[in-house]
Amino acid sequence: QVQLVESGGGLVQAGGSLRLSCAASGRTFSSSFMGWFRQTPGKEREFVAAISWSTGRTYYADSVKGRFAISRDNAKNTVYLQMNSLKPEDTAVYYCAARTAYYSNRVYDYDYWGQGTQVSVSS
């Protein structure tokens, strides 16, 4: 089992920045990729970004490319999502997820999930 705990959400004005953190514990060696997803009421959960624990290779959704940056600190078993130039449409609950296999941007491919953290961007 892998436990994931997100933090860092909050309320920010459009154009502002936030950094989310996801601390992993438990059998962290069993996870290969870490991802960030987001969800708004009435909509499906969508992929935001992912990173390989071993290589640090990153992947992004087109909607956040150039504004968001995912990174990891292997020593702390923590993954970060730096969000810059935030827009009102970025408002959502952001979830951290872990996958035990190769890269995927599909929700149902991820094995472990955090509880989510709310990000609200005002216009």
Side-chain angles (χ1 to χ4, degrees), residues 27-50:
R27 294 171 62 88
T28 56
F29 59 87
S30 66
S31 64
S32 298
F33 271 86
M34 298 294 293
W36 285 98
F37 292 78
R38 65 187 182 187
Q39 188 170 23
T40 54
K43 291 190 176 181
E44 293 186 353
R45 195 169 295 187
E46 65 174 7
F47 171 77
V48 175

Side-chain angles (χ1 to χ4, degrees), residues 33-38 44-50 59-61 95-113:
F33 271 86
M34 298 294 293
W36 285 98
F37 292 78
R38 65 187 182 187
E44 293 186 353
R45 195 169 295 187
E46 65 174 7
F47 171 77
V48 175
Y59 304 81
Y60 296 96
Y95 296 91
C96 175
R99 171 163 167 75
T100 58
Y102 47 84
Y103 164 70
S104 171
N105 62 0
R106 300 183 299 186
V107 172
Y108 50 83
D109 281 340
Y110 282 75
D111 306 291
Y112 304 100
W113 292 85

Side-chain angles (χ1 to χ4, degrees), residues 4-25:
L4 304 173
V5 178
E6 303 99 333
S7 61
L11 174 63
V12 64
Q13 287 189 330
S17 299
L18 279 175
R19 188 176 82 155
L20 305 183
S21 299
C22 173
S25 61

Side-chain angles (χ1 to χ4, degrees), residues 16 19 28 44 65 70 73-74 78 87 89 93 97 104 121:
R19 188 176 82 155
T28 56
E44 293 186 353
K65 211 172 283 185
I70 188 172
D73 185 330
N74 293 62
T78 300
K87 305 175 182 179
E89 50 264 43
V93 176
S104 171
V121 184

